[in-house]
Amino acid sequence: MSDLSARDQGRDHARDNAMSMAAMSSERIEPDDNVWTRRLVLFLRIMAVVSIMKGLYHWAQVTGFIGGEEEAFENQSMAWQTATVYFAVIELVGAVGLWLATPWGAVVWLTTVVSTAVIELMFPGIYGGSLTVVALEAVMLGAYLALAWMAARERPP
């Protein structure tokens, strides 16, 4: 009887080892099905950091941490003040949504991208009408759309 129990224990030990080795090897062989989704989330987090920096820059302009006496918030035009406060708020709100990878975060970020392009192109007197800023925003928007499309393709309905 003791011979049978020793044999059973040996089989149990061998089975446990085989199961643990199979589990480890299956984790390595299993394909990664969410590559594009993870890339999209990484991109959203990078854009969240960029949005935080932009929002803090605008708040620094509002509070007077940056700029000299001539560039003080109070000395700027009403249009410049309005746009600066708008971007100071919406950039930080969008950054939170982007970091959490929520749909509303992408919508708020899209709003900031479109708003930036409109202000730069249609109201060049406010921030100077830089085509470089518009081009950078367009590249980021294109990258987001491409990543979102690829992430949606890896999760069929």
Side-chain angles (χ1 to χ4, degrees):
M1 185 120 214
S2 65
D3 189 31
L4 280 175
S5 65
R7 201 174 335 157
D8 289 340
Q9 285 177 348
R11 265 189 266 159
D12 288 342
H13 182 65
R15 185 187 72 226
D16 291 342
N17 282 343
M19 288 174 61
S20 65
M21 292 303 275
M24 286 188 298
S25 64
S26 68
E27 286 176 2
R28 282 189 227 142
I29 295 172
E30 183 178 309
D32 193 6
D33 294 335
N34 297 323
V35 172
W36 289 106
T37 301
R38 285 192 290 118
R39 289 177 182 167
L40 175 61
V41 170
L42 177 65
F43 177 79
L44 291 176
R45 297 243 167 116
I46 291 169
M47 289 297 99
V49 171
V50 170
S51 290
I52 287 173
M53 291 188 306
K54 287 168 56 177
L56 291 177
Y57 172 76
H58 288 294
W59 274 114
Q61 289 178 317
V62 170
T63 58
F65 282 139
I66 61 173
E69 193 73 25
E70 307 83 43
E71 296 100 28
F73 184 78
E74 301 85 27
N75 296 335
Q76 299 298 328
S77 68
M78 183 61 75
W80 186 92
Q81 290 176 353
T82 304
T84 302
V85 170
Y86 169 78
F87 284 117
V89 172
I90 200 166
E91 289 284 358
L92 294 178
V93 172
V96 171
L98 287 174
W99 188 266
L100 297 174
T102 60
W104 64 264
V107 171
V108 172
W109 178 70
L110 177 63
T111 303
T112 64
V113 168
V114 171
S115 299
T116 301
V118 166
I119 285 179
E120 292 290 345
L121 294 175
M122 300 182 87
F123 303 101
I126 295 176
Y127 287 136
S130 173
L131 292 178
T132 305
V133 171
V134 175
L136 287 173
E137 295 283 345
V139 166
M140 290 187 296
L141 178 60
Y144 168 74
L145 292 175
L147 287 168
W149 183 64
M150 294 303 286
R153 286 187 59 196
E154 66 184 14
R155 287 178 274 130

